[in-house]
Amino acid sequence: MQNPLEKSLPQTSVVGACTVTDCKFNENHECHAGSIEVRVSGNGAECGTYTPEGNTRPRP
Ligand code: SF4
């Protein structure tokens, strides 16, 4: 059992699969952005790094 006073190390997560196929970072349902920002809105969590193909700026 882990010591409750011990701080856990930062975790790196990986996007397992992404269904947003019109994003320029999506290749065969895999994210190649390197890192992403997750935002929470009224619709729930969404990817803040999403960038439509042909657009060079991420979603505001
Ligand atoms: S940046 Fe976001 S929307 Fe685009 S492929 Fe990666 S996880 Fe999907």
Side-chain angles (χ1 to χ4, degrees):
M1 185 170 169
Q2 186 177 5
N3 181 346
L5 300 176
E6 195 173 294
K7 283 189 170 182
S8 61
L9 295 173
Q11 298 291 310
T12 301
S13 64
V14 176
V15 177
C18 180
T19 58
V20 186
T21 55
D22 67 335
C23 176
K24 75 174 196 174
F25 297 112
N26 193 320
E27 292 179 28
N28 298 320
H29 298 279
E30 292 182 3
C31 178
H32 291 269
S35 65
I36 65 165
E37 177 183 338
V38 177
R39 297 180 183 165
V40 178
S41 71
N43 297 326
E46 62 182 26
C47 180
T49 309
Y50 165 75
T51 306
E53 286 191 65
N55 188 343
T56 57
R57 293 179 40 191
R59 181 167 47 199

